Amino acid sequence: MRDFGKKRWFPKPRTERHWDMLYKAHKTLVPNLQKITLEWSKDGRGKTGIRYFKYYNIKPLQYWNRSLDVKLDKKVEPTPAKLTVELKDGSITELSVEGLTNTEILKKVVSLDPEGAIVTNGPGHLITLE
């Protein structure tokens, strides 16, 4: 099973200190993010990125943005993968994420915040936003 904090052949984080170190290594602070909705179908091409975004990026987003409301909508019928982002100023943006990787999806979400965001991916690796 894929999930944030679990990596094959490595020990799982067990204590609060281990989880804290892991979340600090994957800091994803987006101050103006209020609500994020992920919608994808179980079958079809181009859904891997949004699934991996759910596995690896949602938990750090929720940890660093405590007021973030996350809704996951997994459809049975084939639908294109999309992401709906609502900011604190009330603006809603719908993004088509079909065929994108989880890192590309994260870059799109972070670029929507006008005040800027702080994102690190792994120990000391800063994600650069063009």
Side-chain angles (χ1 to χ4, degrees):
M1 173 157 195
R2 290 176 172 42
D3 200 7
F4 180 75
K6 295 179 183 175
K7 190 172 181 180
R8 192 175 213 175
W9 312 118
F10 287 91
K12 290 189 294 187
R14 297 196 187 278
T15 65
E16 191 67 33
R17 184 176 151 265
H18 290 153
W19 279 107
D20 191 47
M21 288 170 42
L22 184 63
Y23 281 121
K24 283 182 180 175
H26 294 272
K27 188 171 187 176
T28 313
L29 181 62
V30 188
N32 289 316
L33 198 58
Q34 181 176 348
K35 183 178 180 181
I36 190 166
T37 305
L38 284 74
E39 185 179 323
W40 75 100
S41 62
K42 182 175 137 175
D43 299 324
R45 300 177 136 215
K47 313 296 189 292
T48 306
I50 197 163
R51 279 195 335 263
Y52 278 36
F53 183 77
K54 177 191 147 255
Y55 299 148
Y56 302 120
N57 298 106
I58 288 295
K59 284 188 180 178
L61 269 170
Q62 288 178 314
Y63 180 82
W64 289 102
N65 306 283
R66 298 289 179 166
S67 64
L68 179 64
D69 182 25
V70 176
K71 182 181 176 206
L72 306 174
D73 191 8
K74 190 173 177 182
K75 306 276 186 186
V76 176
E77 66 277 354
T79 57
K82 68 179 181 178
L83 187 83
T84 307
V85 178
E86 184 178 340
L87 298 178
K88 288 184 180 175
D89 64 0
S91 63
I92 298 173
T93 307
E94 191 172 294
L95 304 168
S96 173
V97 294
E98 190 86 20
L100 298 178
T101 66
N102 63 322
T103 306
E104 292 169 340
I105 295 170
L106 182 62
K107 286 181 182 181
K108 281 190 169 206
V109 170
V110 168
S111 69
L112 294 173
D113 191 347
E115 292 182 14
I118 301 169
V119 179
T120 57
N121 189 10
H125 298 287
L126 189 65
I127 292 180
T128 56
L129 302 171
E130 291 105 37

